Amino acid sequence: MSQAAVGTTVGSATHCPYCALQCGMYVGKGEITPREDIPANAGGLCQKGWTAAELLTSPDRLTTPLLHGSPVSWDEALDHVAARIEAIRAEHGPDAVAVFGGGGLTNEKAYQLGKFARVALRTSQIDYNGRFCMSSAAAAVNRAFGMDRGLPFPITDIARAGAVLFAGGNVAETMPPFVRHLTAMRSGGGRLVVVDPRLTQTAKMADLHLQVTPGTDLALALGLLHIAIAEGYADLDYLAARTTGFEEVRTSVSAWWPERVERVTGVPVAQMREAVRILGEAERAMVLTGRGAEQHAKGTDTVTAFVNLALTLGLPGREGSGYGCVTGQGNGQGGREHGQKADQLPGYRKIDDPAARAHVAAVWGIDPAGLPGRGRSAYELLDALGTPEGPRALLLFGSNPVVSAPRAGHVARRLDALDLLVVSDFVLSETAAMADVVLPTTQWAEEAGTMTNLEGRVLLRRQAAAPPPGARSDLEILHGLAERLGCGEKFPADPRTVFDELRRASAGGVADYSGITYERIAAETGVFWPCPETAGDPHSDPHPGTPRPFLDGFATPDGRARLVPVDHRPPAEDVDEEFPLYLTSGRVLAHYQSGAQTRRIRPLTQASPEVFVELHPDLAERLGVAPGDRVRVRSRRGAAEGVARVNASIRPDTLFMPFHWEGVNLLTNPALDPVSRMPEFKVCAAAIERCAEDGERVA
Ligand code: SF4
């Protein structure tokens, strides 16, 4: 296959701009057609995918750099940014310049951003919004399996399972084509158990819905494991042969008897027993988690508890069974593998591992001693901006933290305190609107690059449309800045060249991409990592890729999975008299993440025009709130308004708000998980009141 045929053909097969399912699609003449050859969607798309072509012609599109709000040339913009970086570095040192990336960036961009921070800027201060998405699940499975691959099996394996327990995921709204895999499972006689505080569209499909109190998923998992052991479902042969730590975990869950768990979680004992029976009696079964269980200050331990359950039942590493976390952002998987994380180098290497530093430094042509060490995690980095000890400048790519970060009002104030804020985006997001310099970038279908979907399948996003004059790719922007900082030759702007370097940098790492090429991805509709380059010519003797990495052993030094004892604790901020309700957040069908893209697409804004607050009819009656009333929700960090939606699908003690608009994250709690540094997005204490006509609070 020629190079021209792969990656650069305008009007060809590509993938959706949004979520981690990365549905295959054809983009041509402003129309989207789904691809049949990509197993994740196999001819399906959701409303967001069908309408994605509108992004390419959005009237809000930026095509000229902005300096303090005024249009300038690219040279003026890049000269200004480079000069300010040099001045700030000279005055405050290299860590005074920070970089913030995104889980939607291609592998090439994520890789180049990490390299740019460490090589061009020499800063340790880089992290990304994927910290807010996958970090708890990643920390837990690294601890348990020695490798973090969201689904360590092809998504089509779900259809072969006899039971699936899904904790904290609402794929019927977030990634509807995923549902076909659950439906196929149920059509084959399989049963679905969903854990969620709300009766979501996914929970409505379930055979059993465990309507857990927000912030108590960990207690529920401990209770399920207690029952599984007590009722004889532990697979003792598997545990002896393939794991360590079961006895410690067995002892630790003995205190979580079912009636105690019912008191903590609100889930009836009979339902817990039924869930365990469904999982334990299935020949093949899966435990899946999503952000609902993971975005907590105890998210790592919560996922660990569900992994312990899966291991006790003997599921991971068996075909058609297993544990998986369902990744959210478009390149949530690949974006966490190649170095835009504060503690990481390409190939999922640790930045404080001397061998990893030596390998990557050799690929980058620098002295390992010159590589910075570990930096601040995402929220800690945002929280430090503009403080005497923190960075004075921030370069931000593919993220909109003014909407998506916890305690977002505080984050906006920190951004405002910077000496220099540079944002690369293709629309004027809420964060870009605050920037000193805005760099107009190309978007998904206008550029080539690879994405790694929720299965760990590396996919090729071909260029399918010409970019508008004036927009430049993030790789071109990094090249232009590097040139001005004296190292342009280390930062090529061509994605294929960057990918080839990424392959070398990842070689021998956990996430080894060295055997993957654009040609192979195109010919095989994706390649699963790890995929090392075999001895000899990779084109004549390629590694087949690894769809199910744990069949023969886990990626730990002894090949055994680790069960780790964990214990439940209350939310970082529990309800009290002043703030008597739990507030949780999530997504709706029509929108994606901070909404910077989907809020600019007419059919999507018509379908879901504004922020709403979902509350139970009993609560609404008590407060005198009717459907459609404007309500104000308050927490210790701020207040936000929305339109009341009253329905019985939510617990009476819980409020729900979607996070696609500025609003709910003004209220969320930035308490961090001690291991993953994940903020507690999914639960905080809140109060609600009806607003008067003039927007004032009703006394
Ligand atoms: Fe597929 Fe996700 Fe895009 Fe919807 S948003 S079409 S589920 S990739």
Side-chain angles (χ1 to χ4, degrees):
M1 194 172 299
S2 75
Q3 289 211 354
V6 179
T8 56
T9 310
V10 173
S12 56
T14 189
H15 293 267
C16 178
Y18 305 120
C19 84
L21 205 57
Q22 280 301 291
C23 295
M25 56 171 56
Y26 300 99
V27 180
K29 296 187 182 152
E31 283 193 351
I32 302 275
T33 321
R35 287 169 66 179
E36 300 278 349
D37 60 334
I38 300 298
N41 65 305
L45 292 176
C46 79
Q47 195 179 7
K48 299 181 287 281
W50 281 113
T51 55
E54 276 201 26
L55 276 178
L56 299 169
T57 53
S58 169
D60 290 350
R61 190 65 190 277
L62 298 172
T63 54
T64 310
L66 302 174
L67 176 59
H68 299 133
S70 300
V72 293
S73 72
W74 272 101
D75 277 343
E76 279 175 277
L78 295 178
D79 288 349
H80 177 86
V81 173
R84 295 292 294 127
I85 287 173
E86 297 276 30
I88 290 167
R89 280 202 309 194
E91 192 178 343
H92 302 285
D95 276 358
V97 181
V99 177
F100 200 86
L105 300 175
T106 61
N107 290 319
E108 291 80 354
K109 294 181 188 183
Y111 169 84
Q112 198 80 322
L113 206 55
K115 180 182 173 186
F116 182 81
R118 276 84 179 218
V119 175
L121 300 176
R122 300 281 165 140
T123 182
S124 67
Q125 300 300 294
I126 175 168
D127 212 60
Y128 80 125
N129 66 17
R131 180 79 67 173
F132 300 156
C133 182
M134 289 306 302
S135 57
S136 287
V141 297
N142 275 322
R143 188 158 75 177
F145 305 136
M147 177 192 282
D148 159 32
R149 220 189 70 189
L151 300 183
F153 43 77
I155 196 168
T156 44
D157 277 9
I158 292 171
R160 302 162 60 193
V164 169
L165 181 142
F166 197 167
N170 181 17
V171 287
E173 292 207 64
T174 58
M175 47 178 73
F178 189 109
V179 169
R180 68 186 53 209
H181 304 290
L182 294 173
T183 305
M185 184 269 297
R186 295 188 70 229
S187 303
R191 305 189 70 194
L192 176 64
V193 181
V194 168
V195 179
D196 202 299
R198 303 165 63 220
L199 180 63
T200 61
Q201 292 303 321
T202 311
K204 283 179 185 160
M205 294 173 51
D207 299 281
L208 180 62
H209 173 211
L210 309 183
Q211 195 160 19
V212 68
T213 305
T216 65
D217 308 79
L218 174 47
L220 179 69
L222 296 171
L224 297 176
L225 182 49
H226 179 108
I227 294 169
I229 294 170
E231 299 196 355
Y233 290 114
D235 186 336
L236 299 177
D237 291 341
Y238 169 96
L239 287 161
R242 301 204 56 182
T243 73
T244 61
F246 175 62
E247 285 309 320
E248 292 88 332
V249 166
R250 183 210 294 259
T251 304
S252 73
V253 298
S254 62
W256 288 98
W257 59 92
E259 292 74 15
R260 181 184 177 201
V261 175
E262 176 177 322
R263 281 197 298 278
V264 173
T265 64
V267 177
V269 170
Q271 289 187 2
M272 286 188 262
R273 289 194 198 284
E274 174 68 359
V276 171
R277 197 185 60 73
I278 288 171
L279 278 181
E281 293 189 354
E283 198 179 319
R284 289 182 292 271
M286 291 181 175
V287 175
L288 305 176
T289 62
R291 299 306 81 68
E294 298 164 8
Q295 287 179 318
H296 294 270
K298 54 179 179 288
T300 304
D301 285 351
T302 301
V303 175
T304 296
F306 280 110
V307 169
N308 288 342
L309 174 66
L311 287 167
T312 299
L313 297 172
L315 308 180
R318 282 187 168 158
E319 214 166 316
S321 292
Y323 163 80
C325 51
V326 177
T327 304
Q329 290 194 86
N331 198 25
Q333 179 71 54
R336 67 184 189 262
E337 297 165 0
H338 296 297
Q340 60 175 332
K341 225 173 145 204
D343 53 357
Q344 193 193 68
L345 290 171
Y348 225 127
R349 290 183 158 92
K350 295 192 174 84
I351 201 162
D352 42 18
D353 170 4
R357 292 170 67 86
H359 172 83
V360 174
V363 174
W364 289 351
I366 63 168
D367 181 345
L371 266 177
R374 172 189 293 244
R376 293 177 172 92
S377 74
Y379 181 76
E380 290 162 301
L381 177 58
L382 295 171
D383 187 37
L385 296 175
T387 63
E389 310 77 35
R392 311 293 319 167
L394 180 70
L395 312 185
L396 189 139
F397 294 76
S399 188
N400 188 15
V402 169
V403 176
S404 61
R407 198 187 172 199
H410 172 73
V411 168
R413 287 190 288 279
R414 300 283 18 112
L415 290 167
D416 208 31
L418 286 166
D419 297 337
L420 175 69
L421 174 61
V422 181
V423 174
S424 167
D425 209 327
F426 60 90
V427 291
L428 200 66
S429 69
E430 288 78 358
T431 308
M434 296 182 64
D436 300 288
V437 182
V438 180
L439 303 173
T441 190
T442 51
Q443 56 171 314
W444 62 292
E446 297 165 356
E447 53 189 22
T450 59
M451 304 285 280
T452 305
N453 79 353
L454 76 182
E455 308 162 283
R457 187 193 297 259
V458 185
L459 301 163
L460 182 65
R461 261 197 196 165
R462 296 176 178 85
Q463 184 188 10
R472 291 190 183 178
S473 75
D474 287 335
L475 294 179
E476 289 173 320
I477 290 169
L478 292 175
H479 173 75
L481 287 174
E483 256 187 334
R484 288 162 173 83
L485 296 170
C487 52
E489 76 289 350
K490 286 191 183 298
F491 294 90
D494 167 51
R496 175 191 294 271
T497 309
V498 176
F499 188 74
D500 284 342
E501 187 183 299
L502 179 159
R503 293 171 54 206
R504 286 188 284 120
S506 74
V510 174
D512 189 332
Y513 280 39
S514 58
I516 304 175
T517 63
Y518 278 22
E519 286 74 17
R520 273 197 68 183
I521 300 172
E524 299 171 32
T525 59
V527 180
F528 289 93
W529 73 260
C531 182
E533 191 167 18
T534 53
D537 180 355
H539 297 288
S540 61
D541 182 26
H543 186 284
T546 315
R548 299 177 187 87
F550 304 145
L551 289 183
D552 299 327
F554 296 97
T556 52
D558 61 4
R560 289 166 175 262
R562 308 270 184 265
L563 287 98
V564 179
V566 291
D567 204 9
H568 177 68
R569 48 204 183 268
E573 180 184 74
D574 217 334
V575 293
D576 57 20
E577 236 172 73
E578 189 182 359
F579 296 102
L581 298 166
Y582 295 108
L583 172 64
T584 192
S585 66
R587 288 167 53 183
V588 298
L589 177 63
H591 291 291
Y592 175 69
Q593 301 301 86
S594 80
Q597 296 164 91
T598 51
R599 281 187 278 118
R600 290 178 161 83
I601 294 183
R602 239 174 325 117
L604 300 182
T605 51
Q606 281 166 356
S608 192
E610 60 188 347
V611 67
F612 63 87
V613 181
E614 188 175 281
L615 71 164
H616 191 275
D618 293 350
L619 177 62
E621 192 183 342
R622 217 167 62 230
L623 298 168
V625 170
D629 281 354
R630 272 201 88 67
V631 289
R632 179 182 296 113
V633 181
R634 292 182 291 112
S635 80
R636 287 188 173 81
R637 289 152 295 280
E641 292 185 9
V643 174
R645 279 196 193 172
V646 179
N647 68 56
S649 65
I650 190 164
R651 295 172 54 92
D653 58 3
T654 302
L655 305 171
F656 170 84
M657 293 175 74
F659 57 63
H660 311 292
W661 295 265
E662 267 185 302
V664 71
N665 280 324
L666 297 169
L667 283 61
T668 43
N669 187 355
L672 299 180
D673 182 292
V675 180
S676 66
R677 319 307 285 167
M678 167 73 86
E680 185 130 292
F681 282 104
K682 281 294 189 273
V683 60
C684 71
I688 181 172
E689 58 251 341
R690 186 163 62 85
C691 298
E693 293 280 302
D694 59 3
E696 286 308 304
R697 187 171 153 186
V698 174

